[in-house]
Amino acid sequence: MVRQGWLFLVALPVCAAALLADDVFETAMRQLEVIEKVADRAELASTGASLRDSFDVGDRQQTRRLLALVGNAGRPLAVRTTALDAILAKADFELGRELLGWARASCPSTGARAVERNDFAVLLGRVVRGIGKTPGGGSLLADQASLSALKAIVACDAASPETRAAAAELIAASGAPIAQRRDAVVDILVMARTSEEYPTSYILLMNESALVRLRDALNNGIESGEFHYMAAAVLSHVGDVETLEVLDRWSACSTERPSLNRSIEHFRWRILVQRDQKSILEWITAGRGPVWLDHYWILRRAIELGIGKDELKSALESYVKNTPMENLRGRFRTDLAETAVSLGILRQGQGL
């Protein structure tokens, strides 16, 4: 009897704590469910903190109630983000995957109201920025279903460019096998025909099979006249000599498109200029005038190819010394110096 009494006394506080947590959760949920207009941000933040503290990691019942609130377009955006933050704080592997699945399935159509698309963009950005930090985030990002959801997020046109880029970075840096990450990244590159923006993490995943797919994407557009800028950008970045032949075919059929011809020549130059380190250093030293993107790209590529930072600094200083001032006016000289600092070629505070 004594032992049973002790067990009762121990169990009583535990049960009381659980009931108290349930009460706190219900109170916070009722507050979120009735708010029509957020007037007091501090009060909303306090409600969010109460929510996060009132349920355990992986609690499906409470999390799914919160997710229903997140998906309710009739609630104020601040309320929905508060509920979403609570989910992200307590999502284990399964709930994290469920959250990514919700994000994938909820991308609004192009015909949706602007406010709906804008609100979803905010929520989606929060999911992508927070999913890797969830309790189940590490293993979640090695999961095939999660990679597929992130690929769909990259393709969602309601997502902001920053969110798409962040989702793509999660794929490239995930714990999934390298072949899966590479396939996912190439899929993204092939989808992004008109863009030329790609992170360094993509370049690190390229191999011959990936380059073949990108060459095919570039070549297959000749008949329709749809130039694949992303494929050309990545292929020229890595100096893929076989791409020169594809670019020649494009040149032969684009004589009436001056802008495209300039792009083709630019991509051809990127391949040829990196034939050896001497070519790169000579171009940086001589330059071709204030072509900002050329300088930014060639400095970045030189670092990737292992050219010494002292050599690059010397080449930049020679370029500035030998270039007419009219070619260095405006922000170009400052931007060039800032790029050199960001790449570690110059120290913070140094100029050109």
Side-chain angles (χ1 to χ4, degrees), residues 167-190:
E169 285 280 15
L170 284 176
I171 293 171
S174 74
I178 189 169
Q180 291 181 10
R181 287 184 283 141
R182 182 181 294 118
D183 287 346
V185 162
V186 176
D187 286 345
I188 290 169
L189 293 173
V190 170

Side-chain angles (χ1 to χ4, degrees), residues 39-61:
D40 190 336
R41 295 280 174 176
E43 182 179 350
L44 186 61
S46 176
T47 300
S50 297
L51 270 177
R52 291 191 296 275
D53 293 340
S54 63
F55 69 104
D56 296 327
V57 170
D59 187 324
R60 277 144 186 72
Q61 181 180 354

